Amino acid sequence: MCGIVAAAANNNIVPVLIEGLKKLEYRGYDSAGVAVIGNQGIERIRAVGRVAELEAAATSTQALTGIAHTRWATHGVPSERNAHPHISGNIAVVHNGIIENYEALRAELIEQGYVFTSDTDTESIAHLIESIQRTESDLFKAVQKACQRLIGAYAIAVIDQRQPNKIIVAREGSPLLLGVSDAGNYAASDASALLQVTRNMIYLENGDVVEMTPGTIRIEDIAGQAVERAVHVSALSADAVELGAYSHYMQKEIFEQPEALANTLEIIGGTKSIQPGIFGAEAASLLAGVDHVLILACGTSAHSGLTARYWLEAVAGVPCTVEIASEYRYRASVANPRQLVVAISQSGETADTLAALRHAKSLGQTRTLAICNVPESAIVRESALRFITRAGPEIGVASTKAFTTQLAALFLLTLVIAKVRESITGQQEQRFIEELRHLPVAIGKVLALEDNIKAWADAFADKHHALFLGRGRHYPIALEGALKLKEISYIHAEAYPAGELKHGPLALVDASMPVISVAPNDELLEKLKSNLQEVRARGGELFVFADADSEIQESEGVRILRLPEHYGLLSPILHIVPLQLLSYHAALVKGTDVDKPRNLAKSVTVE
């Protein structure tokens, strides 16, 4: 990982490569590099750190053909010697993914006399292609044969100084798409990198190998059979990935949540009844007879699934299990062909979630649903049903609007399954639809509390640990709040069901351990109040997010922020917003890199 941009055009492509890398910065990286074919052959520039450093080093570089890369270290420490592109003889290669058999390839190539100058798995690809070219001079065929020997996940782009107008790209597991324009042809890991030059995109499938020149595109599968891939006009615009008037992308995306939710819920329009068809043409038949829901996800998406479990069991009356995707496929599980398998991912390319989905299908569980923010992504393509959240591009590494739109989608799924199972009345369904439609307005009222939350953030300036508490369907919200705080402020944070305090975590509580509690006015509020008293008795400082009609009172060591209204079953969608804002402002107080937290990547496309 983490980002590829390639260009073969009729004008200088270096600015396009650099700007493309800047648009991929949100994916996370530790070094960057570019290789172009110039008058003297391949010119390579690499830098550790930000793309801005690479840009400064490449100001005088011009070329018509080139490849570029941002790296997130998997094999070898972040350093210039490990940065892409990697060169072997006359070729240069960039690569996203992980080559699982690189050690065997490396040993074989060393025997052939190749000298390795990096610790990466990618350098094996470069030497392998170069070795094949000794008997197969055509770059396209050489890359095709090399791909047949690679085990693992990859997206690669290759140039050869002897074939100066040509770029070969290939994918297996890692995302890669093409951009098509009259000025030239392009490739990238993400459409956002190419919106500067075109909105016409070709989404490559696993096994595709592409020869790209300024005026032509040729696609074959790994076995050499010609394939056709449609050109799609991307719904994204260049403006959608600009920061605008906000200080950070995370702040922008927090405040975009009313619009994102409105767009996501537009599918129910003015209807008084929700139809299964919102999840796909086959939804009615596939959902009939579903007796269990299995949710597969990672990180923030897993927290949305944990929240949905409360809805699915309480409203639809269907049992639900939530599995961490990276764990699910490595344990013996009991297959159930009648269960609905739901894969949740912002990008739709999350390697662990995609692999878990495939594993579930291999066990004969074919009733699959993707909830995703990217309609052309692998998880969407490989699922029988799909719901596309319309959050728009999410640039900040810490997910915000993707989470709330996932929750909205999962509540819609709850209502559809409840209808199929006849678990709710028509009157209940209409009431839930009205509450969903009001969500954007309700979120807007919560966002108006930013100044109050900003004042709280100062209390976290010298803190190193924090504890989050929630009960019932708000426990996953506490989990998500803790994740947000640790991701961007580097404050160690844990979340517990409040009733578990006495079973261990209470030992941590003292005056230097802030305790953040989600305290809606629901059926568990009185129980929660007792848990909060346990914290105060140990000198802990409480930060409580309550509802307007909650009877919790502010006092010494107890700060209360009241949300404008109580929102019943949908309350988790409202209560996560102030936790997002608290994390954002705590990170500002700490002085951390809000949008690009250390060690993290936006799209985790390797296992």
Side-chain angles (χ1 to χ4, degrees):
M1 10 187 351
C2 200
I4 287 174
V5 187
N10 299 316
N11 48 21
N12 180 24
I13 49 83
V14 175
V16 174
L17 298 178
I18 297 296
E19 183 62 24
L21 292 184
K22 288 180 178 179
K23 290 296 186 287
L24 296 179
E25 284 186 306
Y26 75 93
R27 295 168 69 94
Y29 69 101
D30 47 56
S31 58
V34 61
V36 299
I37 301 177
N39 295 330
Q40 305 301 316
I42 291 178
E43 180 181 353
R44 177 177 63 173
I45 305 169
R46 298 182 293 179
V48 176
R50 298 300 186 201
V51 171
E53 297 175 43
L54 178 70
E55 181 179 26
T59 51
S60 60
T61 306
Q62 296 192 11
L64 303 179
T65 306
I67 55 179
H69 188 267
T70 53
R71 176 178 185 257
W72 189 72
T74 55
H75 295 74
V77 300
S79 64
E80 186 174 327
R81 66 188 292 267
N82 287 328
H84 299 210
H86 290 286
I87 290 177
S88 180
N90 295 298
I91 70 166
V93 176
V94 294
H95 161 233
N96 286 347
I98 290 179
I99 304 304
E100 295 175 5
N101 63 331
Y102 85 98
E103 290 178 326
L105 291 172
R106 187 183 182 102
E108 175 188 321
L109 291 161
I110 288 174
E111 270 194 33
Q112 295 178 25
Y114 286 94
V115 176
F116 283 74
T117 60
S118 78
D119 305 311
T120 68
D121 53 341
T122 303
E123 193 175 1
S124 297
I125 303 175
H127 292 319
L128 178 62
I129 295 170
E130 205 278 338
S131 71
I132 294 171
Q133 280 192 298
R134 294 177 179 180
T135 55
E136 175 56 78
S137 60
D138 181 74
L139 183 61
F140 181 84
K141 293 297 181 185
V143 172
Q144 208 166 44
K145 289 181 178 180
C147 289
Q148 293 168 5
R149 298 205 53 199
L150 300 179
I151 299 173
Y154 59 81
I156 60 174
V158 188
I159 55 174
D160 185 334
Q161 65 185 21
R162 297 163 299 186
Q163 302 172 52
N165 298 317
K166 184 185 298 184
I167 299 176
I168 310 301
V169 302
R171 73 155 290 187
E172 178 64 44
S174 293
L176 196 66
L177 55 88
L178 308 180
V180 183
S181 81
D182 293 337
N185 291 312
Y186 310 86
S189 303
D190 189 313
S192 63
L194 301 183
L195 292 174
Q196 56 175 314
V197 288
T198 183
R199 290 177 62 191
N200 297 320
M201 309 291 179
I202 296 174
Y203 295 90
L204 300 179
E205 301 283 348
N206 283 338
D208 284 354
V209 184
V210 181
E211 178 183 274
M212 191 171 68
T213 71
T216 64
I217 291 175
R218 165 192 173 197
I219 309 177
E220 293 184 2
D221 64 21
I222 200 168
Q225 296 296 313
V227 293
E228 295 288 334
R229 300 288 179 234
V231 177
H232 300 271
V233 178
S234 174
L236 298 178
S237 67
D239 290 343
V241 293
E242 296 298 332
L243 187 57
Y246 293 93
S247 300
H248 300 90
Y249 280 107
M250 184 179 181
Q251 183 189 32
K252 175 176 184 275
E253 288 153 13
I254 289 171
F255 277 84
E256 285 176 339
Q257 287 177 113
E259 180 183 5
L261 282 165
N263 290 338
T264 298
L265 294 168
E266 186 180 22
I267 195 167
I268 59 175
T271 184
K272 295 182 179 179
S273 177
I274 297 177
Q275 302 304 317
I278 64 175
F279 292 97
E282 299 179 353
S285 60
L286 287 180
L287 293 177
V290 162
D291 61 7
H292 189 272
V293 177
L294 170 64
I295 295 176
L296 304 173
C298 301
T300 287
S301 296
H303 295 158
S304 71
L306 288 168
T307 307
R309 181 176 64 180
Y310 288 89
W311 293 335
L312 285 161
E313 296 192 350
V315 179
V318 61
C320 176
T321 302
V322 183
E323 294 266 8
I324 299 298
S326 58
E327 292 292 319
Y328 170 69
R329 66 185 175 119
Y330 291 117
R331 70 172 184 84
S333 58
V334 179
N336 176 6
R338 296 186 67 81
Q339 76 179 347
L340 176 68
V341 179
V342 183
I344 310 174
S345 168
Q346 188 280 139
S347 68
E349 303 288 351
T350 307
D352 288 319
T353 306
L354 181 57
L357 172 64
R358 289 170 176 166
H359 177 65
K361 290 168 66 177
S362 75
L363 298 177
Q365 301 170 131
T366 57
R367 302 179 191 224
T368 56
L369 165 67
I371 293 179
C372 181
N373 194 40
V374 182
E376 305 88 358
S377 60
I379 288 174
V380 171
R381 294 196 303 270
E382 297 191 25
S383 298
L385 305 175
R386 70 286 314 269
F387 187 95
I388 307 303
T389 57
R390 296 175 60 189
E394 190 177 65
I395 306 301
V397 167
S399 182
T400 52
K401 61 179 179 174
F403 180 68
T404 48
T405 53
Q406 286 171 356
L407 289 175
L410 287 162
F411 196 80
L412 289 173
L413 176 64
T414 299
L415 295 184
V416 166
I417 293 178
K419 279 193 66 173
V420 170
R421 294 172 62 87
E422 298 181 348
S423 300
I424 58 172
T425 65
Q427 186 177 11
Q428 289 173 320
E429 180 188 5
Q430 288 183 34
R431 177 170 56 81
F432 285 133
I433 291 173
E434 289 169 4
E435 289 178 356
L436 282 169
R437 289 193 185 122
H438 184 63
L439 267 177
V441 174
I443 294 285
K445 292 179 181 178
V446 177
L447 289 169
L449 301 173
E450 184 183 26
D451 285 344
N452 305 72
I453 297 168
K454 185 177 179 180
W456 279 15
D458 290 336
F460 289 78
D462 62 345
K463 297 298 188 289
H464 300 286
H465 308 278
L467 189 63
F468 284 71
L469 302 177
R471 298 206 69 150
R473 57 185 171 270
H474 293 87
Y475 166 53
I477 300 306
L479 286 169
E480 176 62 12
L483 177 61
K484 289 284 96 57
L485 188 67
K486 72 181 75 170
E487 278 182 312
I488 62 169
S489 74
Y490 314 148
I491 296 172
H492 168 243
E494 292 188 67
Y496 280 87
E500 284 291 292
L501 264 177
K502 292 186 291 292
H503 298 279
L506 197 57
L508 298 171
V509 173
D510 59 21
S512 63
M513 168 78 85
V515 178
I516 300 97
S517 179
V518 183
N521 191 11
D522 61 14
E523 64 279 5
L524 290 172
L525 180 60
E526 292 305 317
K527 299 286 187 184
L528 181 63
K529 286 180 181 179
S530 298
N531 303 140
L532 300 185
Q533 288 301 319
E534 293 167 356
V535 172
R536 282 302 302 138
R538 275 78 182 177
E541 185 176 11
L542 280 164
F543 297 81
V544 182
F545 292 94
D547 289 332
D549 53 358
S550 168
E551 295 179 0
I552 299 177
Q553 300 301 317
E554 190 162 291
S555 60
E556 183 181 356
V558 182
R559 306 192 195 193
I560 307 290
L561 186 73
R562 301 188 191 279
L563 274 62
E565 55 187 302
H566 175 54
Y567 221 63
L569 284 178
L570 290 170
S571 174
I573 303 180
L574 267 65
H575 271 273
I576 188 54
V577 176
L579 298 185
Q580 294 169 346
L581 286 169
L582 178 63
S583 298
Y584 171 72
H585 285 289
L588 293 185
V589 170
K590 285 282 193 179
T592 59
D593 192 336
V594 174
D595 289 331
K596 306 181 190 72
R598 66 190 183 198
N599 305 332
L600 298 180
K602 181 64 176 176
S603 297
V604 185
T605 56
V606 297
E607 185 177 358

